[in-house]
Amino acid sequence: MAIRFPMICLLVSSMVMAIAADLPPERYWNTALPNTPIPNSLHHLLTLDFTDEKRTDVQVGKGGVNVNTGKGYKPGGGTSVNVGKGGVHVDAGKGKPGGGTHVSVSGGKGPGGGVNVNTGKPGKRTDVGVGKGGVIVHTRHKGKPVYVGVTPGPNPFVYQYAASETQLHDDPKAALFFLEKDLVPGKTMNVRFNTEDGYGGKTKFLPRGEVPFGSEKFSEILNRFSVKPGSEEAEMMKKTIEECEAKSVGGEEKYCATSLESMIDFTVSKLGKNHVRAVSTEVTKKNAPMQKYKIAAAGVKKLSDDKSVVCHKQKYPFAVFYCHKAMMTSVYSVPLEGENGMRAKAVAVCHKNTSAWNPNHLAFKVLKVKPGTVPVCHFLPETHVVWFSY
């Protein structure tokens, strides 16, 4: 197969011009929010964890496009595709029938035309497209994280739910709630910042549009993720979808983001794209147990005293966030020192108006206060994020 030199030049030159919708998530962030650093809590969700350690490298240089997909770093262990001055060269390593590599070069077929490379079986492969929008790489996840179980009980960050009978004593998230008057140096609190998502914290973002979501698609979802109907995992997933589809409380604007791009779009629609920050709790040691923390002498810093968007990571096989625009809220940065020497830079959100919350919500049970009487605060677990204007 041969490709004329002018076509190669056209392909290479088109790679530098990417359409926003086709950008990788991190580049989409930088395009939509150029002045907003991405917090670690979201950044680590962008790296998919493959069970067979296969990798994909895409290089774009003066010689054209070079794509290598292989298992580990062993020579000859995968597929090499080179698009250069000499045309297209395909070297497919050993593989099973149906798991090979398909390369198509066209000037007009498909979205934008160009070069398309598909390696592996559908749903378990890497797709590379070189067209007018640039280079697009979609790496399919090789299965989902292993389900390890979760602490039962209503989601305490969905405020229309009443606390269950055992949640007050069994759910470690109960300790995340406190009163605003307690935000003073020297105050001690028993807190555990990591939160159970059902998968040991290993869930990641999938590309926009690749996560099936919605009650009308539930059978398809279970089949897609190989989850047995009626199992504990299936019930957990169903509960997450129900929370996302439930009516808002007190006119609250909410949205469940199934990709980083959709989270960005929702936030920008509520806060704008200029002078926006995103922050999360940072702890020096992951999966630390419940322990006593003291607010450090350095003191508490108020980051925002107006509207914000808070996104809570949900229990689902891949990253899904329950985001809601919160009015009449304050956001604080709280330096904490643990009794074992561990430190945390915690993010706290204080809700000034809780009159629309369920009167039997977990926060009221823990703090022994009534809805609408005093500001109710909570620390954010490490995997959650709050957005605010500054």
Side-chain angles (χ1 to χ4, degrees):
M1 183 187 297
I3 301 180
R4 284 179 289 183
F5 184 68
M7 178 180 287
I8 294 299
C9 293
L10 176 63
L11 290 173
V12 174
S13 63
S14 69
M15 295 171 200
V16 298
M17 301 180 63
I19 301 173
D22 293 331
L23 292 176
E26 192 166 1
R27 286 187 62 192
Y28 188 89
W29 175 293
N30 293 332
T31 300
L33 300 165
N35 301 315
T36 305
I38 184 170
N40 290 334
S41 62
L42 295 179
H43 191 272
H44 88 273
L45 297 180
L46 301 179
T47 304
L48 291 176
D49 184 17
F50 293 96
T51 57
D52 63 354
E53 297 183 352
K54 289 186 178 180
R55 68 182 188 130
T56 299
D57 297 327
V58 179
Q59 299 176 346
V60 181
K62 294 181 179 180
V65 183
N66 183 46
V67 181
N68 298 309
T69 68
K71 190 168 186 177
Y73 291 83
K74 296 180 181 179
T79 302
S80 298
V81 181
N82 299 291
V83 183
K85 293 182 179 180
V88 178
H89 173 67
V90 181
D91 179 15
K94 295 180 180 180
K96 298 178 180 179
T101 299
H102 309 282
V103 181
S104 62
V105 181
S106 62
K109 294 181 180 180
V115 180
N116 295 288
V117 182
N118 300 316
T119 69
K121 295 179 180 180
K124 295 184 178 180
R125 67 189 189 188
T126 299
D127 301 332
V128 181
V130 182
K132 293 182 179 180
V135 180
I136 306 166
V137 181
H138 295 301
T139 311
R140 308 296 178 86
H141 203 284
K142 304 283 287 186
K144 64 178 178 62
V146 176
Y147 178 70
V148 295
V150 296
T151 301
N155 186 343
F157 303 113
V158 180
Y159 305 121
Q160 70 262 39
Y161 290 138
S164 64
E165 292 295 328
T166 59
Q167 193 174 16
L168 182 62
H169 305 288
D170 298 341
D171 193 339
K173 291 188 286 293
L176 295 173
F177 291 95
F178 60 92
L179 297 176
E180 192 172 28
K181 66 180 182 62
D182 294 327
L183 284 175
V184 292
K187 178 69 178 179
T188 59
M189 304 176 183
N190 289 313
V191 185
R192 181 186 176 195
F193 285 106
N194 58 298
T195 184
E196 299 91 350
D197 63 1
Y199 300 91
K202 295 182 179 180
T203 55
K204 306 288 183 178
F205 274 125
L206 284 185
R208 187 204 293 262
E210 285 200 14
V211 180
F213 203 77
S215 56
E216 75 283 357
K217 302 178 182 178
F218 195 58
S219 295
E220 174 191 345
I221 293 169
L222 295 181
N223 183 62
R224 165 76 181 271
F225 296 142
S226 301
V227 176
K228 183 179 179 181
S231 64
E232 181 181 304
E233 183 178 10
E235 292 304 308
M236 176 205 68
M237 295 166 61
K238 182 180 179 181
K239 183 66 175 176
T240 291
I241 293 174
E242 289 175 347
E243 290 175 353
C244 288
E245 294 180 343
K247 293 182 179 180
S248 301
V249 174
E252 175 188 65
E253 298 179 73
K254 69 184 184 72
Y255 174 74
C256 276
T258 59
S259 67
L260 181 65
E261 297 95 326
S262 61
M263 181 190 292
I264 293 170
D265 292 346
F266 177 75
T267 301
V268 168
S269 72
K270 305 305 174 188
L271 302 178
K273 63 182 297 183
N274 298 316
H275 307 293
V276 175
R277 282 190 64 190
V279 294
S280 296
T281 292
E282 298 179 2
V283 183
T284 55
K285 183 179 180 181
K286 299 296 182 184
N287 300 318
M290 177 83 73
Q291 65 178 291
K292 183 178 292 184
Y293 286 91
K294 179 177 68 174
I295 297 180
V300 177
K301 181 180 179 182
K302 182 178 285 189
L303 303 177
S304 174
D305 198 28
D306 190 11
K307 61 184 178 181
S308 61
V309 171
V310 187
C311 293
H312 306 285
K313 195 163 186 281
Q314 299 298 97
K315 300 168 184 175
Y316 206 70
F318 291 99
V320 172
F321 282 80
Y322 179 99
C323 298
H324 57 108
K325 179 182 177 181
M327 303 297 292
M328 299 181 66
T329 57
S330 297
V331 180
Y332 293 92
S333 175
V334 186
L336 298 173
E337 298 174 347
E339 58 184 355
N340 66 351
M342 196 174 77
R343 295 176 181 271
K345 186 177 180 182
V347 174
V349 177
C350 292
H351 301 266
K352 300 175 186 178
N353 183 5
T354 59
S355 58
W357 292 21
N358 190 306
N360 292 312
H361 185 271
L362 181 62
F364 303 134
K365 297 286 188 180
V366 172
L367 303 174
K368 295 179 170 45
V369 296
K370 294 182 178 181
T373 56
V374 294
V376 170
C377 306
H378 61 80
F379 289 118
L380 288 182
E382 293 177 89
T383 54
H384 299 208
V385 60
V386 60
W387 307 69
F388 59 88
S389 301
Y390 64 94

